[in-house]
């Protein structure tokens, strides 16, 4: 397929994506308004203030879930609409979904009976997890949202982040999302510095994409499910950007750009468990890949 990376991605999005990802692409790269994005996202909103209906494609079914709601918050944040009554309504749902310690479980038990990725366990009394809580709390802080639930959730995240001794890439990404948004910047910088050393010591990042096979894959991950510097530092002002040299970051971004496939989209690296999930995930991954490349100064046109 001829054309620039952006033109090829645009063709892929119009050909394959859900309405939400089509409108997100139009907003981020074609100068379209934010309102159509929010209208498309509203289709996934439930009366309890949470989001469901397979917004996060690995959880099927109609019910509200923390992972769906976190996904919705990322979309709202990206279009500058994460505040006001929207955020208040979401926080009411999060308060209801939280565990006794104020944290969010990966999956609420109401998911039971609906199709769910086998790597996301549904249990009767799920614990709170940094993986689910960190990105939500960091994002709400960054948007200066204040709610009673946030105080307990923030304390949980600090304890979880500062207690990490052994981890895996997705949990580290959740920790970074928390640290990038939390108001106490000196404490965040100190925690970020320690996490960066942990990531390098435990080889949780591929520093040379040409030798990816020399790096371990985390337990339970799919074969080839590697993580690179750009997966941790999606924007240049992230604390995680300090973990990597300019050369390491450039190699990572070169690799991300090369991952664009012949049809214009980017691949899904994690395990696919149903025929519908990869076609729904790939446009999401494609929009995020383009946003990461542009944020780091790569020319897409």
């Amino acid at each position: 397929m001829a054309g620039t990376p952006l033109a090829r991605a645009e063709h892929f999005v119009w050909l394959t994506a859900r309405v939400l990802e089509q409108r997100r692409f139009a907003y981020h790269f074609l100068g379209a308004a934010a309102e159509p994005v929010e209208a498309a996202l509203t289709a996934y909103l439930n009366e309890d203030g949470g989001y469901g209906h397979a917004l996060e494609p690995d959880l099927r079914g109609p019910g509200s879930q923390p992972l769906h709601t976190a996904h919705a918050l990322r979309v709202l944040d990206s279009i500058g609409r994460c505040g006001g009554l929207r955020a208040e309504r979401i926080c009411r749902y999060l308060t209801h979904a939280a565990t006794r310690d104020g944290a969010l479980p990966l999956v609420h038990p109401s998911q039971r009976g609906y199709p769910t990725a086998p790597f996301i366990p549904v249990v009767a009394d799920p614990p709170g997890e940094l993986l689910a809580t960190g990105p939500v709390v960091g994002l709400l802080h960054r948007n200066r949202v204040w709610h009673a639930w946030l105080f307990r959730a923030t304390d949980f995240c600090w304890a979880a982040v500062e207690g990490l001794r052994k981890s895996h890439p997705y949990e580290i990404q959740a920790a970074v999302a928390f640290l990038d948004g939390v108001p106490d910047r000196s404490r965040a910088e100190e925690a970020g510095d320690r996490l960066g050393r942990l990531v390098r010591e435990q080889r949780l990042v591929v520093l040379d994409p040409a030798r990816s096979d020399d790096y371990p894959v985390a337990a339970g991950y799919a074969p080839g499910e590697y993580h690179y510097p750009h997966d941790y530092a999606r924007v240049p002002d992230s604390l995680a950007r300090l973990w990597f040299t300019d050369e390491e970051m450039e190699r990572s971004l070169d690799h991300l750009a090369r991952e664009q496939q012949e049809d214009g989209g980017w691949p899904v690296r994690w395990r696919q468990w149903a025929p519908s999930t990869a076609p729904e995930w790939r446009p999401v991954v494609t929009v995020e890949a383009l946003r990461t490349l542009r944020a780091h100064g790569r020319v897409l046109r």
Side-chain angles (χ1 to χ4, degrees), residues 146-160:
W146 296 103
H147 189 274
W149 168 75
L150 266 177
F151 291 98
R152 286 196 305 146
T154 301
D155 288 343
F156 172 88
C157 289
W158 275 126

Side-chain angles (χ1 to χ4, degrees), residues 11-114:
H11 179 86
F12 172 77
V13 166
W14 293 129
L15 180 66
T16 68
R18 304 181 296 189
V19 172
L20 176 59
E21 282 69 55
Q22 291 177 358
R23 290 183 170 181
R24 290 192 71 203
F25 183 92
Y27 171 83
H28 289 295
F29 303 105
L30 302 178
E35 285 78 7
V37 179
E38 191 169 7
L41 185 62
T42 300
Y44 299 88
L45 179 64
N46 287 318
E47 291 184 3
D48 61 5
Y51 289 77
H53 306 281
L55 176 58
E56 181 93 357
D58 285 329
L59 295 179
R60 316 307 290 187
S64 296
Q65 287 291 331
L67 287 181
H68 295 316
T69 305
H71 191 122
L73 280 169
R74 287 193 295 272
V75 172
L76 291 170
D77 176 61
S78 73
I79 63 172
R81 297 296 178 92
C82 186
L85 291 176
R86 301 174 194 85
E88 183 179 329
R89 180 176 57 198
I90 289 171
C91 285
R92 284 200 300 267
Y93 162 73
L94 296 173
T95 301
H96 174 74
T99 58
R100 287 183 294 274
D101 55 8
L104 297 172
L106 276 179
V107 182
H108 190 271
S110 60
Q111 180 66 21
R112 190 179 301 278
Y114 294 104

Side-chain angles (χ1 to χ4, degrees), residues 4 35 41 52 69 95-96 121-122 125 129 142 167 185 200 204 209 211-212 217 221 228 243 252:
T4 65
E35 285 78 7
L41 185 62
T69 305
T95 301
H96 174 74
V122 181
D125 187 20
E129 304 238 9
R142 188 168 67 250
S167 189
R185 301 314 303 157
R200 297 180 79 99
L204 301 180
R211 303 182 62 180
S212 294
V217 174
Y221 284 32
Y228 301 86
W243 302 350
S252 178

